[in-house]
Amino acid sequence: MPVLLFLIDTSASMNQRTHLGTTYLDIAKGAVETFMKLRGRDPASRGDRYMLVNFEDVPFGIKAGWKESHATFMTELRNLQATGLTTIGQSLRTAFDLLNLNRLVTGIDNYGQGRNPFFLEPAIIIAITDGNKLTSGGGVQDELHLPLTTPLPGSELTKEPFRWDQRLFALVLRIPGSASVEPEPLGGVPPDDSPITPMCEVTGGRSYSVFSQRMLNQCLESLVQKIQSGVVINFEKTGPDPPPLEGKDMPTVKSGPQPWHCCHKLIYVRPNPKTGVPIGHWPIPEAFWPDQNSPTLPPRSAHPHVRFSCLDAEPMVIDKVPFDKYELEPSPLTQYILERKSPHTCWQVFVCNSAKYSDLGQPFGYLKASTALNCVNLFVMPYNYPVLLPLLDDLIKVHKFKPTIKWRQSFENYLKTMPPYYIGSLRKALRIMGAPNLLADNMEYGLSYSVVSYLKKLSQQSKIEYDRLIASIGKKAPPEAGIKVRWRGGGISLAQRRDFIQQLQSLTGEAPSLPMELNPKEFQGFHLALLNKSLKPLSFRNPYDIPRSHLLDQLSRMRRNLLNTSVCSLRGQDSDQLHSVPIAQMGNYQDFLKAAPQPLRDADPEQPKRLHTFGNPFKLDKKGMMIDEADEFVTGPQNKGKRPADNSNMPGGGPKRRRCMSPLLRLGRAYTPPVTPPASPRPMIGKTGRYTDRHCEVQPSSGKKCKLCHLSGELVPNVVVHHPPEKG
């Protein structure tokens, strides 16, 4: 279930308009909706979870998190407003913390126990910003910094704020305010040079510099293709370059570092087609040897550093011994391996410091081109598999699952070189092979008691923090009391500078009077009031509520209101503005009822309450209603919530019957002629029982069908009238 988190820039600079007539914020909202439509074409999008974060402070910046529905996401997206500063560093930290909060509770990071690629929560963060300067309360920043003021529990276990299954992509809007005369460049969308670009590249993503609506749509289609289940790994070459293959023409390369020597790419973790969940057997080893006496765990990097050796080796696979296979994302490394056209050899992979007595460590798998030479796969095997697999092969084929003493000694020597956290995976593999008793049940997993206790404590703290954050999502930020007045210090103000006074004197011809010295202590604690948008402006009573552009119009209204001498005049208020409501609030009748005063109780409590007629006063209670294909219906009682009428004067002693469909359409019910009030006689021809109304004419014995009811005349009794005659 991938998580798609949208980080929307809501700084004031997003209000700038493009040549299309829309603001950057409007374009960002439209981009999110377009992305969701493109993603909805994929059947795998049913399990997507959408989150929304803006540039407000925590927790008010989290508009949709783990528990919010799709409708809440869309509502919060449409209600975004561009106010504030460009605090993208704080917002990115909020987004990563929101994604990482539940990881310690579920334990998918598996700290100190190896990295399992099949334990993942793939997440993509899509940031939409304008690429302007990074502004905050402390000033303008040139580089992007993620604050560490309130770290999450367990954040010290990872060096970076993100994880290996989380990638950041940025759409930097550069659409100009005036239409460009030059044609748009064809080809791919270039990356942007804003401070967010290095952060995108570190996580395994990238940025897009968007100059037009066409480029934006192209970027959105590219992002939809980026939604893949996988983890990011750093691949780095160790040792010499491979020798050129004999008889094959390889492109000549220059000496020095090559692009394929170091790649920062994704490996695809495909889910199981039957269960929809990835399944694996072996972890990627840690970059340290676990010490049972160590009270803490060393921090790990977000992306594992995997080194590959270019020495050709023979791929090893044994029946009944499981292995994991992951496809590499296309990169210069995969291109180089495929160009060698050697699908029957492999390159072994290592993690430095994973072994006890070796800096490079022992191989835990290998890189190999597919037989069809269309992709490169990473095979994850047991740790130091060149030693273990021959032992297991001898156990199966030579010893027939009856190991000798010499075999057991070799197996125990191997266990001493294997990290202890591989014991669980090895025990499962031996159980699959049919040799479950080779490992003792009391073997340690390599973590000290203090580390295990600390991880359990972190899980509990993360659960509490997760519940607290979930409960705080959706709350509105309290209104600011005002803007605090700060004293800049002892610097000379502009009005007291000599060059400014001389310039002003040369323009006006008069020497300005020197301003009075300001006492810094006099204005301590002063706040400038902010406009409260929730209060209705009183333009007839408070002149500060009148916008500058409406001064002349308001003056005319006030003069007309003052000089109007009619009896019905409203003093101090405008009749037009009194009943003017924004279109978005016209249908909000429930909030009006909550604000209205409590009505008096009814004198007769047994009398049914009268329903409000807000909306359509002619709406009917459609409960118990059945519709047939001739648009006729049978209704239940319609007097619910209405005042009972006196029906004693009505003929028949009951309310007037509404038109109903023929009882013959009610399957399985016997027909009972309805009791109808006496009506004027209808013309009848002969003894055939021919009845006529304004719609149809059917004889009971004619065998014809009504054109509207489609009822056969042979089945229609004489007293049935298909359609009522016209009134009057």
Side-chain angles (χ1 to χ4, degrees):
M1 180 184 292
V3 177
L4 304 174
L5 191 150
F6 288 93
L7 179 61
I8 308 298
D9 186 351
T10 54
S11 60
S13 58
M14 290 290 286
N15 287 319
Q16 57 182 314
R17 292 192 177 273
T18 65
H19 66 91
L20 302 174
T22 55
T23 64
Y24 274 5
L25 185 61
D26 296 333
I27 293 177
K29 294 178 181 179
V32 175
E33 296 182 359
T34 304
F35 177 89
M36 298 174 67
K37 292 178 181 178
L38 294 175
R39 174 60 178 165
R41 300 173 182 174
D42 190 354
S45 63
R46 296 180 179 179
D48 293 349
R49 179 180 298 278
Y50 288 93
M51 297 184 181
L52 182 63
V53 177
N54 67 352
F55 281 14
E56 296 182 47
D57 295 335
V58 182
F60 311 111
I62 304 175
K63 300 302 181 182
W66 289 101
K67 298 293 185 180
E68 280 65 37
S69 62
H70 179 75
T72 304
F73 174 88
M74 297 302 299
T75 302
E76 295 293 340
L77 176 66
R78 297 188 182 101
N79 293 338
L80 289 179
Q81 296 181 355
T83 57
L85 303 175
T86 313
T87 56
I88 192 170
Q90 175 64 47
S91 303
L92 272 176
R93 180 73 192 194
T94 302
F96 286 129
D97 288 349
L98 178 63
L99 295 175
N100 298 334
L101 195 57
N102 200 34
R103 298 179 73 93
L104 276 175
V105 180
T106 57
I108 66 173
D109 284 325
N110 207 32
Y111 287 107
Q113 301 290 307
R115 304 171 186 255
N116 294 314
F118 44 90
F119 287 170
L120 77 165
E121 285 179 351
I124 288 183
I125 301 177
I126 302 175
I128 306 179
T129 179
D130 57 358
N132 283 347
K133 292 291 185 179
L134 307 180
T135 57
S136 62
V140 181
Q141 302 173 356
D142 295 330
E143 296 180 355
L144 179 62
H145 296 284
L146 274 64
L148 300 176
T149 52
T150 56
L152 286 179
S155 59
E156 71 279 0
L157 296 177
T158 307
K159 298 177 182 179
E160 296 87 358
F162 51 86
R163 302 296 182 263
W164 65 341
D165 53 359
Q166 301 168 359
R167 290 176 293 161
L168 172 63
F169 295 88
L171 297 175
V172 184
L173 303 179
R174 303 289 188 183
I175 304 177
S178 58
S180 177
V181 183
E182 300 178 358
E184 297 182 9
L186 300 177
V189 181
D192 198 75
D193 57 353
S194 56
I196 198 175
T197 299
M199 189 68 187
C200 295
E201 295 175 352
V202 167
T203 61
R206 59 157 297 184
S207 64
Y208 299 89
S209 189
V210 181
F211 291 94
S212 65
Q213 185 67 39
R214 183 194 64 82
M215 295 179 70
L216 179 60
N217 296 334
Q218 184 178 350
C219 296
L220 295 176
E221 293 177 357
S222 174
L223 285 176
V224 171
Q225 302 298 326
K226 298 288 186 181
I227 304 177
Q228 298 286 345
S229 177
V231 293
V232 179
I233 294 180
N234 280 321
F235 291 98
E236 187 175 351
K237 182 185 73 70
T238 182
D241 287 356
L245 296 177
E246 297 180 359
K248 295 184 180 180
D249 296 333
M250 294 294 295
T252 58
V253 295
K254 299 180 180 180
S255 60
Q258 302 298 323
W260 62 271
H261 287 177
C262 185
C263 287
H264 187 70
K265 289 298 181 178
L266 193 76
I267 63 170
Y268 301 128
V269 182
R270 309 293 187 188
N272 188 1
K274 296 181 179 179
T275 61
V277 179
I279 296 178
H281 303 88
W282 306 104
I284 295 176
E286 300 278 2
F288 61 90
W289 181 266
D291 185 6
Q292 294 185 0
N293 299 322
S294 176
T296 59
L297 282 175
R300 65 160 58 156
S301 58
H303 301 149
H305 292 269
V306 175
R307 295 179 179 269
F308 60 91
S309 173
C310 297
L311 298 177
D312 290 340
E314 185 177 353
M316 301 178 64
V317 174
I318 295 179
D319 294 339
K320 298 184 179 180
V321 177
F323 62 90
D324 301 328
K325 179 181 176 182
Y326 305 104
E327 180 185 347
L328 270 67
E329 183 183 16
S331 64
L333 174 60
T334 61
Q335 181 181 358
Y336 182 81
I337 295 177
L338 293 176
E339 286 177 351
R340 291 178 59 84
K341 299 180 180 179
S342 178
H344 302 294
T345 59
C346 65
W347 291 351
Q348 294 179 342
V349 290
F350 309 82
V351 172
C352 289
N353 301 319
S354 60
K356 192 173 185 179
Y357 303 109
S358 175
D359 293 337
L360 182 61
Q362 302 297 332
F364 69 92
Y366 50 82
L367 294 174
K368 177 183 173 299
S370 63
T371 307
L373 294 176
N374 54 6
C375 66
V376 176
N377 297 314
L378 170 65
F379 287 80
V380 179
M381 312 290 290
Y383 193 79
N384 198 5
Y385 71 93
V387 175
L388 177 64
L389 293 187
L391 286 175
L392 297 180
D393 193 30
D394 291 343
L395 178 67
I396 298 174
K397 297 180 180 179
V398 178
H399 304 294
K400 306 299 181 181
F401 294 100
K402 295 179 180 180
T404 61
I405 298 177
K406 183 179 180 181
W407 188 94
R408 286 187 177 274
Q409 290 178 351
S410 302
F411 185 69
E412 290 177 0
N413 292 333
Y414 162 77
L415 294 179
K416 294 178 181 179
T417 63
M418 182 190 72
Y421 48 81
Y422 269 86
I423 292 177
S425 302
L426 182 58
R427 180 177 283 113
K428 294 180 182 178
L430 294 176
R431 188 182 302 116
I432 295 174
M433 290 175 50
N437 300 324
L438 290 179
L439 291 177
D441 296 335
N442 58 354
M443 295 189 68
E444 298 291 340
Y445 283 80
L447 294 180
S448 62
Y449 176 77
S450 59
V451 171
V452 174
S453 302
Y454 177 66
L455 292 177
K456 291 182 179 179
K457 182 180 178 181
L458 285 181
S459 178
Q460 297 174 359
Q461 292 178 355
S462 300
K463 179 62 176 175
I464 296 174
E465 184 69 17
Y466 173 81
D467 295 337
R468 186 196 64 80
L469 183 63
I470 292 301
S472 63
I473 294 177
K475 295 182 180 180
K476 301 297 181 181
E480 298 182 7
I483 302 176
K484 186 177 181 180
V485 178
R486 297 180 180 179
W487 178 252
R488 290 189 173 184
I492 301 176
S493 66
L494 181 64
Q496 294 177 339
R497 291 177 55 177
R498 181 176 300 178
D499 54 351
F500 176 75
I501 296 174
Q502 293 176 356
Q503 182 71 16
L504 189 62
Q505 185 176 2
S506 65
L507 294 175
T508 60
E510 299 179 358
S513 58
L514 294 177
M516 297 177 59
E517 292 290 338
L518 298 178
N519 184 9
K521 297 182 179 180
E522 183 179 357
F523 296 97
Q524 286 184 354
F526 270 43
H527 285 78
L528 300 179
L530 296 176
L531 179 63
N532 190 354
K533 297 181 180 180
S534 62
L535 297 178
K536 190 174 183 179
L538 302 175
S539 56
F540 278 78
R541 301 179 183 273
N542 188 2
Y544 298 100
D545 287 348
I546 306 173
R548 183 188 181 101
S549 59
H550 297 171
L551 282 175
L552 295 180
D553 296 339
Q554 182 63 24
L555 188 61
S556 301
R557 283 193 291 266
M558 294 176 67
R559 185 184 296 112
R560 185 169 59 252
N561 184 270
L562 178 64
L563 300 179
N564 193 358
T565 57
S566 62
V567 181
C568 299
S569 62
L570 298 173
R571 295 295 180 182
Q573 51 188 337
D574 189 10
S575 58
D576 293 338
Q577 293 184 354
L578 186 64
H579 300 287
S580 69
V581 179
I583 296 178
Q585 301 179 9
M586 284 184 177
N588 199 355
Y589 186 68
Q590 297 300 327
D591 291 348
F592 171 78
L593 289 180
K594 295 178 182 178
Q598 185 70 20
L600 300 176
R601 65 178 180 86
D602 295 333
D604 186 6
E606 297 182 357
Q607 186 176 3
K609 294 182 180 181
R610 187 180 184 88
L611 296 178
H612 66 79
T613 58
F614 180 79
N616 182 10
F618 304 103
K619 60 184 178 182
L620 301 174
D621 185 8
K622 297 184 179 180
K623 293 181 180 179
M625 181 181 299
M626 296 194 317
I627 306 296
D628 72 342
E629 42 187 40
D631 292 335
E632 298 176 341
F633 54 88
V634 176
T635 60
Q638 296 294 329
N639 57 351
K640 180 180 179 181
K642 297 184 179 180
R643 189 174 300 170
D646 188 7
N647 299 325
S648 59
N649 297 329
M650 298 181 62
K656 185 178 179 180
R657 275 196 318 117
R658 305 186 67 87
R659 61 178 181 174
C660 64
M661 70 179 181
S662 173
L664 296 176
L665 294 181
R666 306 178 190 176
L667 300 177
R669 297 187 182 181
Y671 169 70
T672 303
V675 179
T676 56
S680 58
R682 294 174 178 254
M684 184 172 65
I685 301 176
K687 296 182 180 181
T688 59
R690 181 177 182 181
Y691 293 88
T692 307
D693 57 31
R694 67 183 177 95
H695 288 299
C696 60
E697 180 176 344
V698 176
Q699 296 187 20
S701 59
S702 64
K704 298 180 179 180
K705 294 184 179 181
C706 173
K707 295 181 180 179
L708 293 180
C709 301
H710 306 288
L711 295 179
S712 175
E714 297 179 354
L715 300 177
V716 178
N718 297 349
V719 294
V720 173
V721 178
H722 296 197
H723 307 281
E726 298 180 357
K727 296 182 179 180

